[in-house]
Amino acid sequence: SIWFGFLATFLCLLIAYPLAYAIAKSSANVQRTMVALVMLPMWMNFLIRTYSWMTILQNTGVINNILDALGFGRVKMLNTPGAVILGMVYNFLPFMILPLYSVLAKLDPSVVEAAQDLGGNSLTVLSKVILPLSMPGIASGLTMVFVPSVSTFYISQKLGGGSFDLIGDVIERQFQQSYNYNLGAAISLVLMVLTVAIAHQLLPSDAVVGLREDAIAAFFWVANWRFVSKHTDYFTEVGAPCPLYTSDAAYDLLCVD
């Protein structure tokens, strides 16, 4: 699970970073179009996307038919480690692109220009300026891709043919086949604790504080939902501020404009 998760996460970062940078440096119309195209596959059900790759990679699939027509012969691609990694990268790539794009789009161009004026070449500017400033997006993307890659079970079952036993497969088997709910819940709890620990190490401290503030604000908002719903007219007509303290992100998410 860890090896597959690290490999899928590394490939997602390798593909997503230049793509996110290119989107961030495009015009506003191009940015909206490209972000919509990145999110478009997510509108389709996760199971359907995985089944589509089964159809593409099978021995009678599109790729093998093209290879056979060109005289290269058919290649076994389904039920292999490569197919599992491909499924992870395809399904979780948007979770790497979007955080990187969000950070790179806010990057001040004058900082890059200043580095170039001081004699830095493209490689130096990338390694000394752009990469350090985009670390929050990289950390968020790594967490958002690594966690589902480690815990997934459907991709390994369908694209791997059940030949690769990931931690998600073990948990799913405890609930669906062995009916050992206690062990399944215990393994899930251990996985959750490890996930939180990894995220805490990867994310910057200010991001962790912001996430904690937003979580607390969301909790109190739900707890006071009855009060807010009864006074909706007051908050919307009078223009009163949100009744709960939240950070900017939570305010945008939870409060009525």
Side-chain angles (χ1 to χ4, degrees):
S1 299
I2 295 177
W3 167 242
F4 277 21
F6 273 124
L7 188 56
T9 304
F10 174 75
L11 291 176
C12 284
L13 179 61
L14 199 63
I15 298 172
Y17 199 94
L19 181 58
Y21 186 81
I23 296 175
K25 296 306 176 183
S26 303
S27 62
N29 292 332
V30 175
Q31 287 186 29
R32 287 192 291 267
T33 303
M34 294 301 295
V35 171
L37 291 176
V38 170
M39 298 180 63
L40 187 62
M42 301 175 65
W43 298 354
M44 189 183 303
N45 188 275
F46 180 84
L47 306 182
I48 297 177
R49 299 201 305 266
T50 305
Y51 263 107
S52 300
W53 275 110
M54 291 178 61
T55 305
I56 295 174
L57 298 177
Q58 63 185 356
N59 291 333
T60 57
V62 177
I63 298 179
N64 270 317
N65 287 337
I66 294 176
L67 292 176
D68 190 42
L70 295 176
F72 295 103
R74 299 184 181 273
V75 179
K76 181 182 179 181
M77 292 179 285
L78 197 61
N79 302 333
T80 60
V84 178
I85 299 298
L86 176 62
M88 292 179 178
V89 172
Y90 172 76
N91 283 290
F92 304 136
L93 184 61
F95 298 114
M96 181 70 76
I97 295 177
L98 296 179
L100 288 172
Y101 162 74
S102 177
V103 172
L104 293 173
K106 299 176 183 178
L107 186 64
D108 190 356
S110 61
V111 178
V112 178
E113 294 175 359
Q116 294 173 345
D117 292 339
L118 292 173
N121 54 28
S122 300
L123 184 59
T124 303
V125 173
L126 177 62
S127 60
K128 300 295 184 180
V129 178
I130 299 178
L131 274 178
L133 292 177
S134 60
M135 281 305 298
I138 294 176
S140 299
L142 292 177
T143 305
M144 296 176 65
V145 172
F146 179 75
V147 172
S149 297
V150 172
S151 59
T152 186
F153 63 91
Y154 192 80
I155 295 176
S156 59
Q157 290 179 0
K158 298 305 178 183
L159 298 182
S163 303
F164 309 98
D165 207 19
L166 306 183
I167 186 65
D169 297 306
V170 176
I171 296 174
E172 189 265 347
R173 192 160 52 245
Q174 298 302 319
F175 282 97
Q176 299 295 334
Q177 299 179 11
S178 302
Y179 299 103
N180 192 347
Y181 303 121
N182 296 329
L183 180 58
I187 299 175
S188 301
L189 179 62
V190 172
L191 180 62
M192 183 181 67
V193 172
L194 292 176
T195 299
V196 172
I198 294 174
H200 188 273
Q201 293 296 323
L202 289 178
L203 290 176
S205 57
D206 55 346
V208 175
V209 173
L211 290 174
R212 183 167 61 245
E213 290 180 354
D214 294 346
I216 295 174
F219 171 78
F220 281 108
W221 180 271
V222 174
N224 292 275
W225 181 255
R226 288 180 177 271
F227 171 79
V228 176
S229 61
K230 289 180 180 179
H231 299 82
T232 302
D233 296 336
Y234 171 75
F235 291 118
T236 54
E237 295 179 5
V238 180
C242 180
L244 299 174
Y245 169 77
T246 62
S247 63
D248 294 338
Y251 186 92
D252 295 339
L253 178 64
L254 299 175
C255 297
V256 179
D257 186 1

